[in-house]
Amino acid sequence: MRRRVGVASVVNGKASDHLFTKKSSEIDQNAVGKLGANLDELKEKLKWFASKHQLELQTDAAFRNEFLTMCKSIGVDPLASSKGYWTKYLGVGTYYYTLAVQIIETILSGADRHGGVMLLRDLWIRLERHRPKFLRDSHISFDDIFHALKMMKPVGKGCGYIKTSSHIDQGLVYCVPEEMKQDQTLLLKAVGESGKSYFKIEDMIDTLGWRGSRVKTAVDQLIRDGIAWVETGADATGRQCVHYWLPGLFLNNSFEDD
Amino acid sequence: MESIESGSQSKNWIEQFYNFPPLFTLQPNPSSRKRQFEVWTKLLQTHCSKSNQFIITRTEALFTNNEISRDLSEEFITELFSYLIDNDHGVPSKGGGSPKPKSKEEKHLSGQGVDSLIFWFIPRERWYERLYEYAKTNGLQKGGIATAFEILEDQAFTGMDERVLTILLNGMMSTRKCEVMLANDGITIDGVKFF
């Protein structure tokens, strides 16, 4: 059967469109209203939960991590917003905010030695050592450090973690005044993965598959930032050669300054 | 998770730095170079205060690290001596007592041609204090007189010779706590009067 073509059909169609729109906005309003009520309830519950477990949140690394996982599974990330509701009521934000500040302070205090790049192991040892007295029985976990670093993301690309092997603690944490550029990050990663604290330009050309000039540019930037030091010497055959060293990997930076 | 103890080595970081090969190459980055000289100063201070060593020569044992087979070049030593002189950590052992006036146009390095250095392994001002302590202990602080020989006998100045003492006392005069009495040759100290 052919469909009717004519004015009536158009008018009818318009009318049903209108009905649909009306109904859908009704549904929307209902849903939003319900959602709002749900969200309020969720907020209340989280608030209650957080205040009840405030002590555990501040002192128990495993509990903190599970709490964050739980939040994530319901689509809430208390670390995503640095101010406002979550920080204010959940306390967990405050914990990571404080830790983030400690991480920056710790790395910068040794920056004249390592340029702002150090092993996660060394950073962790120093953070543990300077834990406030009243939290002496509680520990900072690597996850805590990662959460804190993630929290600093919005501030810029100055802080981060570079994974170098399956040993998480052998990875590099950096904190530099401006930002760590991609090539420098890749270069540091490659050196870390080599398991050594030094390298030659030629090594990195092979490893990274870059042209010499690209490696050199990245190395020069690391030198300017005090992250790499230069050593000129002779190899076994007496030929002049240049090695670049990373004090952040070579030195045990878990020591205090003096 | 590993314990705190297992992560640390027995060596402190300044000792670790001594085994860091680039410490023996002049760094192109000015702030790393400054850091490098600060480390060398600390190393020399630790080394010299252990044995009350006041003189550093270009063949100083510390400048060769046998463990990692690295040593300092002549150019490096000249730069290091310049740094030490310019930052009042030492004076050329053959020059007089007063440090060279620093002028910005001067390109000449203060360590150039310097074969050995009198090195203050503790700051000069601390030596002045020790000398004045000596005067007080011996009741000389109100115009009393001591000879260089007498001062050098004291345990507080082990390792010091007359040349070093002369430089210190000449410098100390600016604090108006002492006055040096020179012998007829105008160089040797006959005695020193404390106030």
Side-chain angles (χ1 to χ4, degrees):
Chain A
M1 199 173 90
R2 265 187 77 206
R3 255 189 98 195
R4 281 191 306 155
V5 184
V7 177
S9 141
V10 176
V11 172
N12 270 344
K14 270 211 173 137
S16 62
D17 269 359
H18 181 68
L19 269 178
F20 276 130
T21 318
K22 206 177 146 204
K23 190 71 194 163
S24 86
S25 82
E26 257 177 49
I27 293 173
D28 276 355
Q29 265 171 13
N30 263 340
V32 169
K34 244 186 202 159
L35 195 68
N38 277 343
L39 204 60
D40 282 345
E41 200 179 327
L42 179 70
K43 277 185 180 176
E44 279 309 310
K45 285 205 169 136
L46 271 179
K47 204 198 283 183
W48 170 82
F49 183 85
S51 63
K52 186 176 170 217
H53 296 285
Q54 193 55 241
L55 192 64
E56 284 105 316
L57 277 173
Q58 300 291 330
T59 56
D60 187 340
F63 185 85
R64 257 194 314 274
N65 200 39
E66 280 193 19
F67 179 73
L68 288 183
T69 314
M70 182 190 84
C71 286
K72 242 183 224 155
S73 70
I74 57 169
V76 169
D77 186 358
L79 302 182
S81 60
S82 56
K83 57 178 182 178
Y85 180 78
W86 301 111
T87 313
K88 205 160 141 200
Y89 293 111
L90 298 186
V92 63
T94 315
Y95 176 87
Y96 288 110
Y97 176 72
T98 312
L99 184 59
V101 172
Q102 280 173 343
I103 290 174
I104 296 175
E105 280 175 354
T106 305
I107 298 183
L108 291 188
S109 76
D112 54 0
R113 278 207 303 278
H114 51 58
V117 176
M118 63 196 292
L119 285 178
L120 176 59
R121 180 200 64 190
D122 292 348
L123 173 68
W124 176 76
I125 291 172
R126 292 189 56 159
L127 289 172
E128 281 278 289
R129 199 184 290 137
H130 291 286
R131 212 167 47 232
K133 282 263 159 25
F134 71 93
L135 294 177
R136 208 169 27 196
D137 294 332
S138 68
H139 287 283
I140 297 163
S141 72
F142 292 151
D143 279 330
D144 287 335
I145 296 176
F146 294 146
H147 286 311
L149 287 172
K150 211 180 106 196
M151 215 174 123
M152 287 187 269
K153 275 270 159 63
V155 187
K157 290 179 178 170
C159 298
Y161 172 75
I162 302 173
K163 192 174 178 222
T164 57
S165 74
S166 58
H167 300 284
I168 294 172
D169 66 333
Q170 294 302 304
L172 294 166
V173 183
Y174 61 85
C175 186
V176 291
E178 283 170 25
E179 64 169 308
M180 188 68 91
K181 296 247 168 56
Q182 173 110 30
D183 274 12
Q184 276 85 277
T185 312
L186 291 172
L187 184 58
L188 288 173
K189 187 175 170 65
V191 180
E193 282 170 351
S194 76
K196 291 187 286 194
S197 52
Y198 63 93
F199 62 95
K200 285 192 291 193
I201 296 276
E202 304 88 80
D203 297 343
M204 289 300 127
I205 292 175
D206 290 346
T207 312
L208 291 162
W210 294 354
R211 277 195 311 206
S213 58
R214 186 173 170 193
V215 179
K216 190 72 172 61
T217 306
V219 172
D220 284 345
Q221 188 59 50
L222 289 182
I223 292 169
R224 268 199 295 281
D225 293 341
I227 296 168
W229 285 43
V230 186
E231 191 212 4
T232 49
D235 63 12
T237 63
R239 216 167 31 143
Q240 186 86 2
C241 62
V242 181
H243 285 97
Y244 300 92
W245 293 76
L246 303 179
L249 280 170
F250 181 89
L251 302 173
N252 180 341
N253 288 295
S254 65
F255 282 101
E256 306 303 310
D257 278 3
D258 276 303
Chain B
M1 208 175 278
E2 67 181 306
S3 78
I4 289 180
E5 277 68 33
S6 69
S8 40
Q9 297 153 22
S10 59
K11 282 178 177 172
N12 68 31
W13 68 266
I14 200 92
E15 286 165 3
Q16 293 181 54
F17 241 124
Y18 187 56
N19 284 341
F20 186 52
L23 192 71
F24 292 78
T25 296
L26 279 170
Q27 291 306 305
N29 169 349
S31 56
S32 295
R33 184 178 292 205
K34 181 168 171 280
R35 190 64 194 156
Q36 168 173 48
F37 288 146
E38 284 167 4
V39 171
W40 275 109
T41 308
K42 274 228 167 78
L43 284 166
L44 285 166
Q45 282 167 343
T46 313
H47 174 78
C48 291
S49 65
K50 264 184 207 151
S51 52
N52 294 302
Q53 180 187 332
F54 282 87
I55 308 289
I56 298 170
T57 67
R58 285 181 169 266
T59 55
E60 165 60 46
L62 200 67
F63 295 163
T64 302
N65 184 339
N66 291 321
E67 203 179 319
I68 58 166
S69 310
R70 301 292 197 286
D71 55 13
L72 294 184
S73 67
E74 284 297 320
E75 184 202 357
F76 193 117
I77 294 171
T78 301
E79 292 274 354
L80 177 60
F81 278 7
S82 304
Y83 173 86
L84 293 173
I85 294 165
D86 294 345
N87 290 277
D88 210 19
H89 292 298
V91 290
S93 80
K94 273 174 198 151
S98 56
K100 267 168 72 80
K102 288 168 213 160
S103 75
K104 280 192 176 164
E105 300 90 60
E106 206 176 20
K107 279 188 182 131
H108 175 81
L109 287 169
S110 35
Q112 201 90 53
V114 175
D115 290 328
S116 63
L117 212 64
I118 294 172
F119 178 66
W120 311 123
F121 53 82
I122 64 170
R124 221 190 244 263
E125 291 68 32
R126 291 268 307 283
W127 284 119
Y128 298 164
E129 284 165 26
R130 282 197 188 184
L131 283 163
Y132 202 69
E133 273 305 308
Y134 168 86
K136 280 206 279 192
T137 314
N138 293 285
L140 304 169
Q141 74 272 37
K142 284 177 182 155
I145 291 172
T147 65
F149 180 78
E150 283 167 341
I151 294 174
L152 293 174
E153 283 281 274
D154 194 283
Q155 257 197 331
F157 310 109
T158 308
M160 196 184 282
D161 65 11
E162 214 175 309
R163 193 168 42 134
V164 175
L165 180 65
T166 306
I167 292 171
L168 282 175
L169 288 173
N170 278 324
M172 194 178 161
M173 282 209 280
S174 66
T175 68
R176 297 170 185 276
K177 294 270 179 147
C178 77
E179 193 179 297
V180 170
M181 295 175 291
L182 296 175
N184 289 334
D185 62 4
I187 300 165
T188 323
I189 289 186
D190 245 3
V192 54
K193 195 172 182 179
F194 291 100
F195 306 106

